[in-house]
Amino acid sequence: MAGYPIELIVMQLFTGLALGTVFVLLAVGLSMVFGLLTVVNFAHGAFYTVGAYTGVFLFGLTGNFWVCLVGVPLVVGTIGLVVERFLVRPLYGRGIDYPLLLTFGLAYVLVELVRIAFGTSGVPFSAPPSLQGALNLGFGYFPLYRVFLVGFTTVLLIGLWLFIERTRYGLVIRAGARDPEIVRVLGIDVSRVWLLVFGLGTAVAGLAGLLAAPMRGVIPEMGIPVLVEAFVVTVVGGMGSLAGAVVAGLLVGVVVSMTSLFAPAFADMSMFALMALVLVIRPQGLFGRAGLMGG
Amino acid sequence: MLKVEDLEAWYGRSYILQKVNLHVDAGEVVSVIGRNGAGKTTTLRALMGLVAKRHGRVEFEGRDLLGLPTHERYRHGLAYVPEDRSIVPGLTVRENLRLGLLASPHLKREAEIIERLAETFPRLKERLDQIGETLSGGEQQMLAIARALAADPRMILLDEPSEGIMPVLVDEMFELFEKLRAEGMTILLVEQSVDRALAISDRAYIMDQGVIVHESGAAALLADEEMQERYCSV
């Protein structure tokens, strides 16, 4: 690491964390939906795209980023509820490949709808003025928007954790993930739990799209690399694990940004190298339970 | 209270329940005994709607249950304790009990109900915040029963409650069943330990190869060693 000033390394580390928060948000939704519904959601990247464009639309309408921050997860989550209720639900109990193919096709449909509505080239979207500029973190100046991103995601994840660990909806979600049959026996309609979880997962994916938009740009194809990233993070963290999604998301973000500092040519493949390494050492992922698919 | 007519059930292509007929009156304790593989567990699972392919008539308090989804049955007052106890991994004893309460109209009185269950099941009382899975087999069985009782069911289906449990806890459990019976609970009991089951039952059915082959008063069956020998010895 000789030749690199320590400030640069620390800054790059923080950049990695900011990037990682987007990965975390993406993986949380993907992982929850897989862990509970055993649905491999190939439309996850498309929901991310729809989230960014919904943000563009709402911003054009209101000119207020904070309205988007509330509106985007509501809109995308509602789309998720409709998709689960009418498209995914009839496929439960038919094997894992049916919902996989459905969401794969759905991703194309959603992206095409975005192209029809907003055009095939990208649209500009920047952070609101109040979040532009830089903040002195003590070791250097850092883009304010990324500081906001880290803070906002932290609050959101704490909220999600409290929801899952402390509320009765969360209790049903945790129980339903591990033993759906006894949950039904005890009088709870699990299909409503699946609906809620799918809606929640897509809402968070949409939110991730909005939050990433000022950093990564808004184009109809923005969800494609993101889907791959989300799968990598989910596999590294362990399918169905919330803690795994958080740790792996930040880890992947830091690994990618550090590699792009020290060996830029390898930045794109660094996350796959990390995934391969984790799979060799811990095939179920860092926080995954072995045999999730079998159970 | 419960009336089962010509109940059939399949697992894949295997024809398991081949027209089962039985009934349980309100306040009765009824045992179903028979060898392993006779269809006892499948009967209880079919009553709860957990067997995908089923046919026949299941009437519970005058309402036909067969087409209803599983969770509706619990809401109508039919509770079930499965053979494997199904203590949810990672959840505390208290959370497992809460799970039994969520569908109950008395959810608001949660603290009071959990307190009451803890009095009935003293073994659970000091372990409320322990992870349910870490309890001993017998304690897990107590938890499963307590959870099934949380929403004040009118009838409870018990599958092999004494299996794999220390004798001293089995005694405790059957005392509890006696107590429930005295309080007027209706119980349908599937049990390997025939003597104990018959001792607390009013009536009993013997099941063999997917059908009911014999019905009699519990005391009469307890005395009928030939019948027991024929259908229950391994």
Side-chain angles (χ1 to χ4, degrees):
Chain A
M1 288 193 194
Y4 293 98
I6 185 76
E7 289 80 9
L8 186 60
I9 292 173
V10 173
M11 291 290 277
Q12 197 65 13
L13 199 67
F14 200 80
T15 304
L17 284 180
L19 184 65
T21 57
V22 176
F23 291 158
V24 171
L25 288 178
L26 279 163
V28 160
L30 197 65
S31 189
M32 271 202 326
V33 167
F34 178 79
L36 272 85
L37 287 66
T38 334
V39 169
V40 182
N41 185 7
F42 265 83
H44 206 64
F47 286 118
Y48 169 91
T49 309
V50 170
Y53 275 93
T54 306
V56 168
F57 178 75
L58 287 178
F59 192 77
L61 217 61
T62 64
N64 188 331
F65 181 76
W66 310 104
V67 171
C68 301
L69 212 52
V70 177
V72 165
L74 287 179
V75 170
V76 182
T78 306
I79 298 173
L81 293 179
V82 173
V83 166
E84 196 280 347
R85 179 64 189 82
F86 296 104
L87 298 177
V88 180
R89 188 174 295 184
L91 304 180
Y92 290 145
R94 291 205 197 183
I96 196 164
D97 41 350
Y98 282 80
L100 189 151
L101 287 169
L102 171 89
T103 53
F104 191 80
L106 180 67
Y108 280 99
V109 173
L110 288 174
V111 171
E112 210 51 47
L113 287 174
V114 165
R115 288 197 183 109
I116 292 167
F118 294 91
T120 52
S121 55
V123 293
F125 192 79
S126 50
S130 56
L131 291 178
Q132 283 172 4
L135 188 72
N136 190 349
L137 290 181
F139 49 84
Y141 284 91
F142 204 79
L144 184 58
Y145 185 74
R146 294 186 184 191
V147 179
F148 159 76
L149 198 60
V150 172
F152 180 79
T153 310
T154 307
V155 171
L156 189 76
L157 288 173
I158 290 172
L160 192 63
W161 183 81
L162 287 175
F163 175 73
I164 289 176
E165 291 295 322
R166 295 288 150 84
T167 68
R168 56 184 142 106
Y169 300 100
L171 177 63
V172 174
I173 289 174
R174 282 181 292 147
R178 285 150 181 165
D179 191 344
E181 184 174 294
I182 196 67
V183 173
R184 287 162 63 208
V185 163
L186 294 173
I188 298 154
D189 184 358
V190 274
S191 62
R192 280 162 62 181
V193 182
W194 300 164
L195 180 71
L196 174 73
V197 167
F198 198 88
L200 208 59
T202 50
V204 177
L207 192 61
L210 170 71
L211 291 169
M215 285 196 307
R216 305 179 98 188
V218 180
I219 56 168
E221 296 76 24
M222 65 190 283
I224 296 166
V226 154
L227 181 66
V228 177
E229 290 161 357
F231 273 119
V232 168
V233 172
T234 307
V235 169
V236 169
M239 290 277 195
S241 163
L242 194 63
V246 174
V247 172
L250 297 177
L251 186 66
V252 169
V254 168
V255 165
V256 169
S257 85
M258 290 321 258
T259 319
S260 57
L261 175 65
F262 293 111
F266 296 102
D268 281 346
M269 60 165 283
S270 62
M271 70 167 72
F272 300 103
L274 176 70
M275 178 171 76
L277 186 71
V278 167
L279 284 178
V280 169
I281 299 167
R282 249 185 98 76
Q284 71 270 40
L286 296 177
F287 289 75
R289 284 169 287 145
L292 188 64
M293 297 285 291
Chain B
M1 177 170 246
L2 178 77
K3 202 167 161 200
V4 177
E5 282 171 16
D6 293 337
L7 180 63
E8 296 173 279
W10 291 259
Y11 275 134
R13 288 198 180 159
S14 339
Y15 184 36
I16 308 289
L17 298 186
Q18 309 180 359
K19 299 202 171 166
V20 169
N21 290 280
L22 58 86
H23 69 96
V24 183
D25 295 330
E28 251 191 330
V29 176
V30 174
S31 286
V32 178
I33 56 183
R35 289 196 186 86
N36 276 331
K40 307 183 300 290
T41 292
T42 307
T43 303
L44 297 192
R45 289 181 60 83
L47 292 179
M48 286 313 286
L50 295 168
V51 181
K53 195 175 172 201
R54 53 192 191 260
H55 194 266
R57 194 171 162 78
V58 176
E59 207 181 280
F60 181 64
E61 299 201 308
R63 195 184 279 114
D64 189 14
L65 282 190
L66 204 74
L68 286 184
T70 300
H71 66 269
E72 297 266 348
R73 298 168 196 231
Y74 187 76
R75 285 165 188 263
H76 286 145
L78 189 59
Y80 164 59
V81 180
E83 197 175 355
D84 65 5
R85 303 169 200 137
S86 295
I87 300 307
V88 183
L91 263 52
T92 63
V93 170
R94 189 190 301 274
E95 286 174 326
N96 268 289
L97 292 174
R98 283 184 72 197
L99 208 56
L101 262 170
L102 290 179
S104 158
H106 310 303
L107 182 59
K108 285 191 203 75
R109 294 179 12 232
E110 181 191 316
E112 177 196 329
I113 292 170
I114 289 185
E115 182 64 27
R116 197 192 70 209
L117 288 170
E119 293 301 326
T120 316
F121 297 84
R123 283 174 184 279
L124 301 179
K125 196 174 178 179
E126 63 260 44
R127 294 176 176 80
L128 280 174
D129 295 307
Q130 201 172 319
I131 296 292
E133 264 180 312
T134 63
L135 301 181
S136 75
E139 289 161 356
Q140 287 192 25
Q141 187 66 57
M142 297 286 188
L143 174 56
I145 295 168
R147 185 175 63 186
L149 292 173
D152 274 330
R154 282 192 288 280
M155 179 171 180
I156 184 164
L157 313 175
L158 296 163
D159 196 356
E160 307 274 5
S162 77
E163 195 180 68
I165 290 175
M166 290 192 307
V168 56
L169 279 177
V170 176
D171 291 342
E172 218 174 279
M173 208 160 58
F174 275 85
E175 277 165 31
L176 173 80
F177 297 157
E178 284 280 13
K179 204 173 136 213
L180 287 175
R181 174 200 157 102
E183 288 166 5
M185 176 68 76
T186 309
I187 300 175
L188 182 60
L189 176 66
V190 163
E191 185 53 71
Q192 288 285 345
S193 95
V194 176
D195 290 355
R196 281 183 193 270
L198 293 179
I200 63 157
S201 297
D202 297 298
R203 285 186 302 117
Y205 291 96
I206 296 179
M207 204 168 177
D208 192 46
Q209 297 184 2
V211 287
I212 300 286
V213 290
H214 183 77
E215 180 200 348
S216 70
L221 187 59
L222 198 55
D224 190 344
E225 284 183 12
E226 193 210 318
M227 206 64 182
Q228 285 189 43
E229 182 72 22
R230 208 159 123 202
Y231 289 109
C232 305
S233 65
V234 184

